[in-house]
């Protein structure tokens, strides 16, 4: 059961990365719209997020670097959840 859940969560990360990859310009503009950084840094940040999501999803699905990937997965999910909660309020 653990393996199935791990693969599903990994698949969600990969799907999220691929969907952002197809609309990279929109994702860059979305990050830029918050005004945290300039456009060049927003572009780099967008690419970093997409690559990170894809790698975390791949490693999680395959089962490589279990402890590190699980910690990264929890950290990324906490960060994204906090960001979305901030956006909701």
């Amino acid at each position: 059961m653990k393996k199935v859940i791990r693969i599903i969560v990994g698949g969600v990360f990969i799907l999220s990365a691929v969907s952002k990859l197809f609309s990279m310009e929109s994702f860059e503009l979305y990050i830029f719209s918050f005004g945290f950084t300039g456009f060049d840094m927003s572009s780099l940040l967008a690419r970093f997020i997409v690559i990170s999501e894809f790698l975390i999803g791949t490693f999680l699905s395959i089962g490589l670097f279990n402890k590190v990937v699980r910690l990264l997965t929890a950290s990324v999910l906490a960060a994204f959840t906090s960001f979305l909660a901030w956006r909701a309020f």
Side-chain angles (χ1 to χ4, degrees), residues 24-46 83:
M24 183 59 79
E25 294 84 16
S26 298
F27 186 52
E28 290 170 352
L29 289 174
Y30 178 71
I31 292 174
F32 179 68
S33 70
F34 296 109
F36 295 137
T37 64
F39 184 72
D40 292 336
M41 186 58 80
S42 296
S43 296
L44 289 174
L45 182 61
F83 175 74

Side-chain angles (χ1 to χ4, degrees), residues 52-85:
S52 298
E53 278 185 330
F54 185 78
L55 288 176
I56 288 171
T58 302
F59 290 154
L60 195 61
S61 296
I62 294 172
L64 292 175
F65 311 113
N66 280 331
K67 283 189 174 187
V68 174
V69 172
R70 286 181 185 173
L71 179 64
L72 283 173
T73 302
S75 299
V76 168
L77 288 175
F80 287 166
T81 302
S82 299
F83 175 74
L84 290 175

Side-chain angles (χ1 to χ4, degrees), residues 15-25 27 47 50 54:
L15 182 64
S16 175
V18 170
S19 68
K20 286 179 182 126
L21 187 63
F22 286 128
S23 62
M24 183 59 79
E25 294 84 16
F27 186 52
R47 284 165 173 70
V50 169
F54 185 78

